[in-house]
Amino acid sequence: MIRWRKGVVARVRREWPGAVELDVTTEEGGARALAYPALVGRPEPGDTVLLNTTALAMGLGTGGYAMVVALPDRLPQDPSGPGHLVKARYTPLQATVLGVDEQDSPFHEVLRDADSLDGMPVIVADLHSALPAILCGLYGPHPPLPSPSGDAREADGEPSPGEAGGGGAHGAGAGGTVRPPRVVYVMLDGGALPAWFSMSCARLREAGWLAGTVTVGQAFGGDMEAVTLHTGLLAARHVMGADVAVVTQGPGNLGTGTRWGFSGVSAGEAVNAAAVLAGRPVAALRVSEGDRRERHIGVSHHSLTAYGRVALARAQVAVPELPGGFGERVARQAEPLSARHELVRVPVDGLREALAGCPVRLSTMGRGLDEDLPYFLASAAAGRHAASLLTGEGTGSGAL
């Protein structure tokens, strides 16, 4: 089940908030390794490291690292401070964190009776790689909309800080300008458990595109920790002041090629959670033209199952208006979802340019923007539609 190795740190390759990438030397040669300093301490060149090389040996694309389990000759100091939530429970690396919803939290009183998202849009997607693309659509550019003035709203730049303890208010600021929405990422535990694994999250935070991350369930390492998706969404709204929440699993995706055996079923459960808390669920379709697996060409069976079978509550499903026969195929495949949801056609003009300006590298299953443009356009379309909900303008060209 676990491949254990002992190694020596040769050099630190690079680091980002929460993670350090290393070159290590083992009896079998050199390898790339990853350490989370909050768990194991910060490795330095010359340190002996205990490694779990399972993912490396399996050649996993997302998780192809040797994971540092411990620095046996230089253990970190015992943690101090509050926190009673245990995540990665009953594994050798279980960690204690302070939950935003637990009794010792300064926000416990805020969340104790919290029960509504106040209509906040909650964008739900299958894969973690959809996150930056969704934000590209959310922040703009936005297409011209029918109105007396004919003006198009643009929402580019850094979100302004919201106040903890209350939902953010997206709208006109000083001088009548529209401030960009404040976005919080709520990370499910279907993929990577540590949020620190995501370099995209760190870079999006640095760029001002994310106000923060809430890790829920067994996931950990976010700016805030929550026991469930429900309290994670409520914390995003009432503690972090979110105007919009984006919900996806962490990096990595588990699929078996069966109808139900994939971690993305959680997307349907997220729709239910957003709806029961009086949010406005917006479902992003997983669309691909470049995947070699037929079950993912056009609208992936993951989306059709998660939204068509698992999601019992009604959502607005963003259907991108893609050109040509492929666009017709996507619309046709999405049509059965109309039995349960509202399908909203979203124009994609200008989104290719917005995606090209993303502050992080866009990649899904090893394919970049040019290798699978429809995937990123579909995710960005969901962001564009959510932006329209904040202003009441509406981007869609009508229900399908």
Side-chain angles (χ1 to χ4, degrees):
M1 295 177 67
I2 297 178
R3 292 176 172 87
W4 295 101
R5 295 293 185 273
K6 184 178 287 187
V8 176
V9 177
R11 72 181 179 106
V12 174
R13 293 172 57 97
R14 56 180 174 169
E15 55 187 296
W16 56 94
V20 178
E21 188 182 68
L22 310 164
D23 282 334
V24 298
T25 303
T26 70
E27 292 182 354
E28 299 166 346
R32 189 177 62 156
L34 195 69
Y36 302 122
L39 296 182
V40 302
R42 192 183 190 285
E44 300 289 351
D47 280 339
T48 297
V49 287
L50 181 62
L51 302 167
N52 178 337
T53 62
T54 305
L56 188 64
M58 293 176 66
L60 299 182
T62 300
Y65 284 101
M67 305 302 297
V68 176
V69 179
L71 281 64
D73 298 333
R74 190 165 59 83
L75 298 176
Q77 294 183 348
D78 289 345
S80 60
H84 291 88
L85 297 192
V86 180
K87 296 203 175 185
R89 291 185 283 275
Y90 300 103
T91 69
L93 285 179
Q94 63 183 1
T96 302
V97 298
L98 175 64
V100 66
D101 40 3
E102 69 168 281
Q103 287 86 344
D104 285 351
S105 166
F107 305 108
H108 179 71
E109 291 301 312
V110 173
L111 295 176
R112 185 176 60 182
D113 298 316
D115 197 43
S116 176
L117 298 176
D118 307 319
M120 178 180 72
V122 178
I123 308 170
V124 178
D126 179 11
L127 299 178
H128 184 74
S129 56
L131 173 62
I134 287 170
L135 297 181
C136 286
L138 185 64
Y139 287 127
H142 299 287
L145 302 167
S147 66
S149 65
D151 292 335
R153 183 180 66 83
E154 298 225 356
D156 296 303
E158 182 172 347
S160 57
E163 295 183 3
H170 172 74
T177 60
V178 177
R179 71 166 176 82
R182 183 172 172 84
V183 184
V184 173
Y185 170 45
V186 181
M187 186 179 124
L188 304 172
D189 56 12
L193 295 185
W196 307 311
F197 188 80
S198 175
M199 189 184 299
S200 290
C201 276
R203 300 294 183 247
L204 290 167
R205 181 71 181 273
E206 291 173 359
W209 282 30
L210 280 181
T213 296
V214 183
T215 36
V216 304
Q218 294 288 336
F220 58 92
D223 298 282
M224 291 188 173
E225 310 278 359
V227 175
T228 66
L229 172 58
H230 298 75
T231 51
L233 286 169
L234 290 166
R237 177 65 174 172
H238 297 290
V239 176
M240 302 185 78
D243 300 304
V244 180
V246 180
V247 180
T248 76
Q249 60 185 322
N253 174 65
L254 182 60
T256 63
T258 63
R259 176 172 293 179
W260 293 103
F262 63 98
S263 53
V265 294
S266 59
E269 295 162 351
V271 167
N272 295 334
V276 78
L277 293 173
R280 287 184 285 182
V282 175
L285 291 174
R286 177 175 172 180
V287 170
S288 178
E289 194 173 24
D291 202 303
R292 290 179 293 181
R293 298 164 294 181
E294 179 61 28
R295 64 184 183 273
H296 293 304
I297 295 295
V299 179
S300 168
H301 82 100
H302 284 196
S303 290
L304 297 176
T305 299
Y307 301 140
R309 301 287 299 278
V310 180
L312 303 179
R314 189 172 179 82
Q316 291 187 317
V317 179
V319 181
E321 292 187 327
L322 302 172
F326 183 76
E328 294 173 0
R329 174 176 179 168
V330 167
R332 184 172 62 252
Q333 288 176 310
E335 177 57 34
L337 296 177
S338 64
R340 185 166 294 180
H341 305 291
E342 178 186 358
L343 305 189
V344 181
R345 294 180 295 188
V346 182
V348 298
D349 51 299
L351 289 182
R352 171 65 175 80
E353 294 74 17
L355 289 163
C358 185
V360 303
R361 182 174 66 92
L362 296 173
S363 178
T364 182
M365 304 293 176
R367 300 184 299 275
L369 183 61
D370 293 332
E371 288 77 31
D372 204 350
L373 179 59
Y375 171 83
F376 300 103
L377 288 175
S379 299
R384 170 172 279 181
H385 179 61
S388 75
L389 294 179
L390 293 173
T391 61
E393 292 172 331
T395 61
S397 56
L400 292 174

